């Protein structure tokens, strides 16, 4: 999409091929940054994930080895939590998309003629960022607590069993994830829909297409870049999130996600190889899912 | 939805350029990766080294500043909550400036923050820190704390006799208790008017889904083991621990136990997500003053656990003698009583009770601050675990917490 700016009639000459020292020099800070803050930690994580308990036998003491079995142990021991993480992340992404699409469509297309309203709604979407993510999640914890108006109200209407509760259940965790990541879905969708040329929609209905057909064949494909980046921005952090599912926030013992398992292994059990191998598994799975997803939906949509 | 590349030659070239650019970047990264691998191999084992770190040289005589890391609500405050009267008095008397920081939220996270520096014998920025028995035991095992010069802490003789010889630090040469407390049971007096007597009462069906327990293994499992009639202060068979874990796991999977938390369990009590809980003695006094007199604490009939948070001087601290002077100050009965009157935990200083008679006679009879022989006989200290036990039992407890 961004290429449309270049698409003037004349074809430009080939980009310069000459290797320039200045270009390398300008790249250097970026490369150094990547090496120091991405590659070094990644390699050290990989090495840690293969460590074996030291002969000293004390807690948290490990030495370099090639203990690939760490991965097998992590997967068998925490298979449920790994699957659960991706299930929750997919659910949160789908719910966020369902919630955000109409919202973004309204802001980006319907509210075009009222710039004030449009800006106001955008501010409302971004406003939650002014308050810390942790505080907002804690606020939800008390809003959804057993004696809260919401829960007692549901019970009074018999929509919830008298001994049921919301905090500490998968419902609360998926809700928290969805809530926290909605702005990440809404903003890219808005950016894509804001550029939607409504004349295409008129053309569609002029050709007697059903409004749903127009939506399916015109609006969705044109907003695909927004959907793809929104889904990536929601799914990737949601799969690794450990705040919502944490027992201190919205989760319980039955909702632990991979992030919580890593935290427990790293901070409490001091089992660094397990924590490192789980982190690598998380990265590899996300990379695989994202690769397949981007391949299928087309990389050029991201541009 | 695989799409064909747009036909516009301009766009096609840009895409080609972008692709070749990413290839060359990958080459650069590969080269960098090799050098990184070499770098990381140089420092790749985790945990303490085999050689124990050595203590830093003492510079207390020239630099009169020390830093003390402690838990929240653990030192007396004036009415505004801005200054600490006993600490101000110490600064005035000794000429030592103390930077008091609430830096300990949890033993594990604090340890996670400082362990690498401790292993290298570096200064962690704190000259005194108060941590719980089992964590102090680990620090001593790894050689991460300095030996006290007890001749500089003459008031240490005021230490309660029962705490003088603990298994992790016989003779108290590396650690001295700051405050102690009980883990017991508590309940919401409005919602559970009948009250609770034992840990088994927490498993009553009427409380299903409304029970909270602590994420501190030694307190939660300790109370369950005491309920089973196990003396947790002496060596017990592994099977006793496993039995307690089974009870715990069953109550968690049945949904009887709502949640397992650290300090945040108080929020659940206040929001009434939990109506009864395994909790720490001093906290209940605090929330009763904060949120109305609604909760009651009791030591279960079968016994409660007793723990202490202890002063230690980290290995890299260059202010040992100044830190010792501060410990000595707080071991004066009058000062200890003043602190106890505010924090509501058990003071380890003999004579503080008599001093309390002068400050607030009612508190002098409070069993949670000055427990008598009868109360103490009903509480046990969870014995120090060996390194192997610490890993094994810790993993079993965490497995229940993670639902795995």
């Amino acid at each position: 999409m961004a290429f449309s700016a270049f698409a003037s009639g004349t074809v430009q000459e080939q980009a310069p091929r000459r290797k320039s020292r200045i270009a390398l020099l300008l790249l250097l800070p970026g490369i150094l940054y990547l090496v120091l803050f991405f590659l070094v930690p990644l390699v050290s994580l990989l090495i840690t994930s293969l460590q074996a308990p030291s002969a000293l036998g004390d807690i948290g003491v490990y030495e370099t080895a090639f203990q690939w079995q760490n991965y097998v142990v992590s997967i068998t021991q925490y298979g449920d939590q790994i699957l659960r993480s991706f299930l929750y992340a997919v659910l949160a992404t789908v719910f966020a998309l369902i919630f955000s699409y109409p919202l973004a469509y309204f802001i980006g297309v319907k509210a075009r003629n009222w710039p004030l309203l449009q800006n106001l709604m955008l501010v409302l979407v971004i406003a939650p960022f002014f308050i810390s993510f942790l505080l907002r999640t804690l606020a939800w914890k008390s809003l959804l607590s057993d004696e809260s108006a919401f829960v007692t109200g549901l019970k009074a209407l018999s929509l919830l069993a008298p001994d049921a509760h919301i905090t500490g259940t998968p419902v609360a965790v998926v809700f928290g994830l969805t809530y926290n990541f909605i702005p990440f879905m809404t903003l890219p969708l808005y950016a894509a829909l804001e550029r939607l040329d409504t004349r295409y929609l008129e053309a569609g209905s002029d050709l007697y297409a059903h409004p749903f057909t127009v939506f399916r064949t015109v609006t969705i494909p044109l907003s695909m870049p927004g959907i793809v980046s929104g889904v990536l921005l929601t799914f990737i952090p949601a799969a690794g999130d450990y705040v919502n599912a944490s027992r201190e926030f919205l989760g319980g013992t039955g909702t632990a996600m991979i992030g919580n398992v890593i935290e427990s292994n790293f901070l409490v059990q001091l089992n660094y190889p397990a924590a490192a191998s789980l982190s690598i598994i998380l990265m590899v799975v996300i990379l695989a899912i994202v690769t397949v997803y981007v391949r299928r939906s087309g990389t050029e949509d991201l541009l | 939805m695989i799409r064909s590349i747009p036909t516009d030659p301009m766009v096609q070239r840009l895409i080609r350029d972008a692709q070749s650019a990413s290839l060359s970047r990958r080459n650069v990264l590969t080269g960098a990766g090799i050098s990184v691998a070499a770098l990381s191999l140089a420092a790749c084992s985790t945990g303490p080294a085999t050689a124990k770190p050595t203590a830093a040289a003492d510079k207390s005589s020239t630099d009169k500043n020390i830093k003390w890391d402690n838990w929240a609500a653990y030192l007396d405050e004036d009415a505004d909550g801005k200054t600490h009267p006993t600490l101000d008095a110490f600064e005035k008397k000794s000429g030592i400036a103390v930077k008091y920081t609430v830096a300990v939220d949890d033993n594990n996270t604090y340890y996670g923050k400082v362990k690498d520096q401790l292993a290298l014998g570096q200064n962690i920025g704190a000259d005194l820190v108060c941590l719980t028995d089992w964590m102090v035991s680990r620090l001593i095992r790894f050689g991460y704390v300095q030996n006290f010069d007890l001749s500089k802490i003459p008031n240490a003789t005021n230490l309660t006799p029962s705490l003088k010889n603990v298994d992790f630090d016989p003779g108290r040469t590396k650690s001295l208790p700051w405050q102690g407390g009980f883990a017991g049971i508590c309940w919401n007096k409005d919602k559970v008017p009948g009250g609770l007597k034992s840990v088994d009462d927490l498993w009553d069906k009427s409380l299903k889904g409304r029970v909270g327990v602590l994420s501190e293994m030694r307190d939660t499992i300790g109370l369950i083991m005491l309920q089973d009639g196990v003396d947790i202060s002496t060596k017990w068979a592994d099977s006793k621990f496993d039995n307690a874990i089974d009870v715990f796991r069953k109550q968690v999977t049945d949904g009887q136990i709502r949640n397992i938390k650290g300090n945040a369990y108080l929020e659940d009590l206040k929001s009434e997500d939990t109506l009864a809980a395994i909790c720490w003695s001093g906290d209940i006094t605090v929330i009763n003053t904060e949120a109305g007199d609604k909760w009651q604490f009791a030591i279960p009939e079968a016994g409660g656990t007793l723990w202490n948070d202890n002063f230690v001087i980290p290995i890299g601290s260059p202010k040992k003698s100044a830190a010792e002077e501060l410990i000595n100050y707080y071991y004066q009965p009058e000062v200890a009583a003043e602190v106890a009157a505010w924090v509501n935990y058990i003071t380890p200083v003999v004579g503080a009770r008599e001093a309390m008679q002068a400050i607030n006679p009612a508190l002098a009879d409070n069993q949670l601050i000055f427990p008598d022989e009868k109360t103490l006989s009903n509480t046990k200290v969870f014995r120090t675990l060996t390194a192997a036990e610490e890993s094994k039992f810790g993993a079993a407890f965490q497995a229940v917490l993670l639902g795995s």
Side-chain angles (χ1 to χ4, degrees), chain B residues 43-80:
Chain B
C44 53
S45 67
T46 47
T50 22
K52 291 189 173 172
T54 45
D58 193 0
K59 291 186 208 134
S60 303
S61 50
T62 51
D63 186 352
K64 298 268 181 203
N65 289 289
I66 60 171
K67 190 171 167 270
W68 176 12
D69 282 358
N70 208 345
W71 301 70
Y74 227 23
L75 185 63
D76 56 315
E77 287 171 8
D78 65 0
D80 308 334

Side-chain angles (χ1 to χ4, degrees), chain A residues 51 58 141 146 167 247 264, chain B residues 44 141 258 260 268 273:
Chain A
Q51 283 178 342
D58 212 324
K141 184 173 121 42
D146 287 18
T167 52
R247 292 189 314 278
S264 159
Chain B
C44 53
R141 206 165 68 218
R258 172 64 163 277
I260 306 154
D268 284 3
D273 269 11

Side-chain angles (χ1 to χ4, degrees), chain A residues 197-234:
Chain A
D197 191 338
T198 45
R199 287 174 302 178
Y200 289 134
L201 309 184
E202 284 168 23
S205 55
D206 283 352
L207 295 168
Y208 296 102
H210 187 267
F212 180 72
T213 318
V214 176
F215 178 73
R216 191 171 54 82
T217 55
V218 181
T219 316
I220 291 212
L222 284 177
S223 61
M224 209 56 191
I227 298 178
V228 171
S229 41
V231 164
L232 291 180
L233 283 176
T234 307

Side-chain angles (χ1 to χ4, degrees), chain A:
Chain A
M1 297 283 288
F3 286 153
S4 55
F6 294 95
S8 50
T10 57
V11 173
Q12 284 185 1
E13 280 311 302
Q14 188 136 11
R17 283 267 161 226
R18 194 163 51 87
K19 303 220 167 180
S20 145
R21 282 194 189 165
I22 295 175
L24 265 180
L25 205 67
L26 289 173
L27 265 177
L28 204 63
I31 292 174
L32 267 180
Y33 179 89
L34 274 179
V35 168
L36 270 180
F37 300 112
F38 176 70
L39 267 183
V40 174
L42 186 68
V43 174
S44 100
L45 191 68
L46 202 64
I47 292 172
T48 308
S49 74
L50 294 168
Q51 283 178 342
S54 139
L56 248 76
D58 212 324
I59 192 164
V61 195
Y62 296 90
E63 50 197 29
T64 314
F66 189 71
Q67 184 108 336
W68 55 269
Q69 293 92 331
N70 287 344
Y71 286 88
V72 182
V73 173
S74 294
I75 290 173
T76 45
Q77 195 174 354
Y78 300 115
D80 287 355
Q81 285 82 350
I82 296 173
L83 284 179
R84 188 184 292 149
S85 302
F86 291 107
L87 177 69
Y88 286 3
V90 167
L91 285 174
T93 310
V94 170
F95 290 140
L97 184 61
I98 293 172
F99 183 89
S100 296
Y101 203 96
L103 182 66
Y105 190 86
F106 183 83
I107 304 175
V109 180
K110 294 285 174 189
R112 265 182 209 175
N113 297 328
W114 299 281
L116 192 67
L117 177 70
Q118 200 176 18
N119 288 333
L120 186 74
M121 292 193 66
L122 270 182
V123 168
L124 285 179
V125 170
I126 303 166
F129 284 122
F130 295 136
I131 302 167
S132 151
F133 164 60
L134 295 179
L135 278 179
R136 281 181 283 128
T137 314
L138 269 183
W140 274 114
K141 184 173 121 42
S142 60
L143 286 174
L144 297 175
S145 70
D146 287 18
E147 303 296 322
S148 66
F150 178 67
V151 175
T152 46
L154 282 185
K155 284 181 183 170
L157 294 170
S158 295
L159 291 171
L160 205 65
D163 62 343
H165 48 77
I166 294 183
T167 52
T169 62
V171 175
V173 177
V174 173
F175 173 83
L177 287 170
T178 310
Y179 163 77
N180 277 311
F181 289 108
I182 276 177
F184 295 95
M185 184 65 95
T186 309
L187 291 178
L189 279 176
Y190 161 77
L193 285 167
E194 200 257 331
R195 285 176 289 175
L196 179 74
D197 191 338
T198 45
R199 287 174 302 178
Y200 289 134
L201 309 184
E202 284 168 23
S205 55
D206 283 352
L207 295 168
Y208 296 102
H210 187 267
F212 180 72
T213 318
V214 176
F215 178 73
R216 191 171 54 82
T217 55
V218 181
T219 316
I220 291 212
L222 284 177
S223 61
M224 209 56 191
I227 298 178
V228 171
S229 41
V231 164
L232 291 180
L233 283 176
T234 307
F235 178 79
I236 298 175
D241 182 82
Y242 77 99
V243 171
N244 288 288
S246 152
R247 292 189 314 278
E248 311 281 331
F249 290 85
L250 296 170
T253 49
T255 64
M257 290 171 68
I258 190 164
N260 306 102
V261 177
I262 294 173
E263 187 210 14
S264 159
N265 272 292
F266 189 84
L267 272 181
V268 185
Q269 303 181 43
L270 307 185
N271 190 345
Y272 306 118
S277 63
L278 283 163
S279 308
I280 299 225
I281 291 167
L282 176 67
M283 275 195 272
V284 168
V285 177
I286 288 183
L287 204 64
I289 293 177
V290 169
T291 310
V292 171
Y293 175 73
V294 170
R295 276 272 163 84
R296 285 191 64 96
S297 52
T299 36
E300 68 268 30
D301 278 335
L302 279 172
L303 295 168

Side-chain angles (χ1 to χ4, degrees), chain B residues 282-314:
Chain B
D283 289 342
I284 300 308
T285 320
V286 173
I287 62 166
N288 272 335
T289 38
E290 264 177 30
D293 187 20
K294 259 164 84 174
W295 295 274
Q296 175 78 43
F297 175 87
I299 294 169
E301 280 174 347
T305 60
L306 170 65
W307 46 264
N308 276 285
D309 287 331
N310 308 274
F311 278 119
V312 288
I313 302 176

